[in-house]
Amino acid sequence: MDCLFCKIAAGEIPSTKVYEDDTILAFRDINPQAPTHILVIPKVHIGSVAELTEAHAALVGHIFAVIPEIAAREGLTGGFRVVSNCGPDAGQSVPHLHFHILGGKELSLEMA
Ligand code: DGP
């Protein structure tokens, strides 16, 4: 499949990895919107949150168990934001499920 994040997960395109295991990968966003901006992806291709089902419960649970570990390791003691843009109205630009971890400064509360 011609998917940018599948290629990053496979190591075919380089990334600055901050966490990796058998099922998920976290790496630094190429265009950071905050001092810390990390993307967490499943290695398996899932298009977005809109494609998630009960069958993905363990995988999504694992992602959300690792996110606080990454945040702690990055020193985000003041807090952080987790965002997943889903579809064109949300500005999703890469059609492979990913969760942004943003932190390292006081983030704007603007939502739309
Ligand atoms: P979204 O707009 O929510 O689909 O977020 C996609 C993010 O992916 C965006 O913040 C920029 C990032 N991105 C796009 N291409 C690359 C890449 O080749 N490498 C890395 N590290 N990040 C990328």
Side-chain angles (χ1 to χ4, degrees), residues 16-87:
T16 306
K17 296 176 187 179
V18 298
Y19 176 89
E20 182 170 20
D21 64 27
D22 288 348
T23 57
I24 72 175
L25 174 68
F27 54 96
R28 296 198 190 279
D29 195 291
I30 205 167
N31 182 25
Q33 304 298 309
T36 298
H37 188 168
I38 290 165
L39 302 173
V40 187
I41 66 169
K43 290 187 171 178
V44 65
H45 184 82
I46 299 168
S48 75
V49 169
E51 292 183 12
L52 290 174
T53 70
E54 202 64 48
H56 301 112
L59 178 61
V60 174
H62 179 52
I63 288 172
F64 275 85
V66 167
I67 284 173
E69 280 182 33
I70 294 171
R73 210 184 299 164
E74 293 288 320
L76 302 180
T77 52
F80 57 92
R81 182 171 292 158
V82 180
V83 175
S84 189
N85 295 317
C86 180

Side-chain angles (χ1 to χ4, degrees), residues 4-5 8 13 15 27-31 37 39 85 91-94 98 100:
L4 175 64
F5 284 179
I8 287 178
I13 291 176
S15 66
F27 54 96
R28 296 198 190 279
D29 195 291
I30 205 167
N31 182 25
H37 188 168
L39 302 173
N85 295 317
Q92 183 181 6
S93 60
V94 180
H98 52 281
H100 298 255

